[in-house]
Amino acid sequence: MSINRWIPLESNPEVLNKWSEKAGLLTARAAFQDVYGLDPELLAMVNQPVKAVVLLFPITDALEAKRREEDQKITNEGPSVLDSTVLWIKQTIPNACGTIGLLHALANSNVELAPNSPLARFIEECKAKTPEERAKHLETTPLFANIHAEAASGGQTAVPTDLDTDLHFTCFVQAGSPGAYRIVELDGRRAGPVDRGALEKDLLTDVAKIVKETYVSNTSSVQFSMVALGGPPEV
């Protein structure tokens, strides 16, 4: 049986907040907002505390080669010690990387969710499952399909007739314990969570450095977009 292809989500805080609120995020407590650039003065415009960062990036030959190298290392060395503390979902639904990026952000950031909401139910149902079982659950659950379709259709650009895309979402969160936090990249296309090193300053600042060194430096494309799940919007 074939798996439905989902409409790609825009990297747009309005779209991501609409999806998240319908799924159960209490957006009066936390919300997605644009990160306008990687320089310190632009990072300072983002409401703190930042709980997660979602990056949309172009898939290029250089980035794919680096991904394969890192995935081989994960496969050879086995799961990291942080794997049990993060909820990671393998991506099996075409074009669902935006939804999986959102799920990774929301499930690993301790944000407040409405009780018995689709998000709260899905996260609870996934805790005891493997990443592959979580992927199958996402394929079959009715919790998000309508939410995704509505949010994807409500963006600023027209829904594409060709659903193939060379852009992809990934997510960064912090995991571990106070004083020993690690930055973890969660991408459903990978072989597992990617440990990006110790938290040095704060999540947004450290992720901006990782994005510069790992992503921007490996392509001449400017098709990047970054949003942060941070403090509530200013009234």
Side-chain angles (χ1 to χ4, degrees):
M1 182 175 62
S2 63
I3 300 170
N4 290 333
R5 296 171 67 82
W6 289 12
I7 301 170
L9 285 179
E10 284 185 27
S11 182
N12 175 335
E14 182 178 352
V15 170
L16 303 187
N17 285 325
K18 179 180 179 181
W19 188 103
S20 301
E21 187 169 30
K22 285 184 175 294
L25 175 66
L26 301 180
T27 51
R29 307 291 180 86
F32 288 97
Q33 54 199 297
D34 277 315
V35 179
Y36 292 107
L38 302 177
D39 297 327
E41 61 271 19
L42 296 175
L43 298 178
M45 297 171 62
V46 178
N47 294 337
Q48 293 285 346
V50 168
K51 302 283 191 177
V53 178
V54 178
L55 173 71
L56 180 69
F57 65 93
I59 297 174
T60 65
D61 291 343
L63 288 173
E64 283 295 277
K66 187 171 183 64
R67 177 183 68 83
R68 287 191 292 269
E69 179 183 334
E70 290 178 339
D71 281 359
Q72 189 61 54
K73 182 178 180 181
I74 294 171
T75 300
N76 291 342
E77 297 181 0
S80 75
V81 294
L82 292 172
D83 280 9
S84 62
T85 70
V86 298
L87 192 149
W88 176 68
I89 305 166
K90 189 71 175 174
Q91 182 182 344
T92 55
I93 302 173
N95 296 331
C97 61
T99 294
I100 290 177
L102 284 174
L103 289 172
H104 281 152
L106 297 164
N108 294 286
S109 55
N110 295 317
V111 291
E112 190 171 353
L113 305 175
N116 203 36
S117 63
L119 270 171
R121 290 164 57 192
F122 182 80
I123 292 169
E124 185 61 32
E125 291 166 359
C126 280
K127 284 181 179 178
K129 297 181 184 296
T130 66
E132 292 75 19
E133 289 170 339
R134 293 165 187 161
K136 177 59 68 175
H137 189 41
L138 185 60
E139 289 176 19
T140 57
T141 182
L143 291 174
F144 302 119
N146 290 338
I147 292 171
H148 179 96
E150 184 177 343
S153 301
Q156 296 178 350
T157 58
V159 175
T161 55
D162 180 1
L163 295 181
D164 291 325
T165 177
D166 60 356
L167 301 176
H168 186 70
F169 284 91
T170 190
C171 173
F172 299 87
V173 298
Q174 66 183 38
S177 56
Y181 283 123
R182 310 286 294 180
I183 298 175
V184 182
E185 182 175 354
L186 302 172
D187 180 343
R189 294 177 68 233
R190 308 303 294 266
V194 183
D195 186 346
R196 292 297 184 191
L199 184 74
E200 296 181 356
K201 187 174 181 182
D202 62 76
L203 182 62
L204 182 60
T205 301
D206 289 0
V207 168
K209 181 180 178 182
I210 292 167
V211 170
K212 284 181 181 178
E213 295 176 352
T214 304
Y215 286 94
V216 177
S217 66
N218 280 290
T219 178
S220 59
S221 173
V222 295
Q223 290 184 290
F224 287 89
S225 178
M226 200 159 83
V227 295
L229 176 60
E234 297 179 0
V235 178

